[in-house]
Amino acid sequence: MTEDIKKVISNLEKNLMKAYYVENKEQVVPLISSLVSGKESVSAGGSVTLNECGVIDYLRNGKFNFLDRFKQGLSHQEKEKLFREAFLADLYITSSNAITLDGQLYNVDGNSNRIAAIAYGPEKVIVVAGINKIVKDMDEAVLRVKNIAAPKNCVRLNMNTPCAKLGHCIKNDTSYEGCNSPDKICCSRLVCGQQRYKDRISVIIVGEELGY
């Protein structure tokens, strides 16, 4: 582990989040498997990282009551129902847009179902993030979303936003301001600092670059 990773893990623990480090993405599923019973009801946030680590396939293996929002053929109404059911799940698994050196999670959403579930609802939350998500401070976290995460996700999701075309936010600074596109995915943001309930949130840092 680098000194930055050690610092992040220490500060996540100080903020009452359980923190783990694995060297590569192949170690993520075995670690998650060791943390769960396999009988939980589970939901997951939209995440390139989870797919890269094989987490979604793992959740579909039949051991869980998986609220599979990614299932082919779901209507908009069916997806919305699964989003709401996520709040009653035992476990929510997702990634994070950025993790600061002082142990804070920074996330920005369009529908806001992901940040809502991280903040409240599911009994446990597991966050999986590559080392590329580690940033110095909250200003860097904001810029990371504006100039990396949001543009790449807008391209992936076929959103007609300025950042999808330009590769960066039209408001390229540390303010929360951005575009006014109806396809905008930076609608709500969440900062998770010191938690009230110790170890409700677990963070798995992976020693590779993963996701956006």
Side-chain angles (χ1 to χ4, degrees):
M1 285 189 289
T2 66
E3 290 305 312
D4 279 354
I5 294 172
K6 291 178 182 178
K7 185 174 184 179
V8 168
I9 288 176
S10 175
N11 286 326
L12 286 167
E13 295 276 358
K14 287 177 182 177
N15 283 337
L16 304 185
M17 291 179 262
K18 189 67 176 175
Y20 302 88
Y21 173 75
V22 295
E23 293 183 350
N24 55 62
K25 62 186 178 183
E26 287 77 21
Q27 295 175 312
V28 171
V29 166
L31 176 54
I32 291 176
S33 182
S34 73
L35 300 177
V36 300
S37 70
K39 299 178 181 179
E40 292 90 345
S41 58
V42 186
S43 184
S47 168
V48 171
T49 297
L50 295 187
N51 279 298
E52 290 175 333
C53 294
V55 174
I56 301 302
D57 288 338
Y58 168 67
L59 295 177
R60 286 173 168 161
N61 70 9
K63 295 181 180 179
F64 299 94
N65 173 21
F66 180 37
L67 306 176
D68 191 354
R69 55 170 287 195
F70 311 107
K71 187 177 179 180
Q72 291 293 321
L74 291 177
S75 67
H76 174 74
Q77 291 77 12
E78 288 171 326
K79 285 185 179 180
E80 288 292 322
K81 184 173 183 289
L82 288 172
F83 288 161
R84 290 180 172 85
E85 288 176 350
F87 290 104
L88 299 177
D90 300 315
L91 174 64
Y92 191 78
I93 305 181
T94 187
S95 189
S96 186
N97 293 132
I99 304 175
T100 63
L101 287 178
D102 63 356
Q104 298 188 85
L105 309 180
Y106 180 70
N107 287 286
V108 179
D109 270 5
N111 289 329
S112 304
N113 58 291
R114 179 178 64 114
I115 62 173
I118 293 172
Y120 184 81
E123 183 177 347
K124 295 287 186 179
V125 174
I126 295 177
V127 174
V128 182
I131 54 173
N132 50 313
K133 304 291 185 72
I134 296 174
V135 296
K136 181 178 71 173
D137 52 28
M138 200 53 62
D139 282 348
E140 280 196 7
V142 173
L143 289 173
R144 186 181 191 286
V145 171
K146 284 189 167 189
N147 297 321
I148 300 175
K152 289 187 175 182
N153 277 305
C154 281
V155 171
R156 175 175 67 91
L157 298 169
N158 295 314
M159 295 298 185
N160 184 23
T161 61
C163 70
K165 300 170 184 175
L166 298 172
H168 58 80
C169 183
I170 59 171
K171 189 75 170 178
N172 191 12
D173 58 26
T174 58
S175 73
Y176 185 54
E177 300 303 317
C179 73
N180 295 315
S181 169
D183 280 349
K184 178 177 179 175
I185 65 171
C186 299
C187 299
S188 301
R189 59 179 172 170
L190 173 70
V191 176
C192 296
Q194 181 174 312
Q195 298 296 290
R196 175 171 291 182
Y197 303 106
K198 187 176 186 298
D199 296 344
R200 174 182 174 265
I201 297 177
S202 295
V203 180
I204 300 173
I205 306 257
V206 187
E208 297 182 19
E209 293 196 3
L210 297 169
Y212 306 146

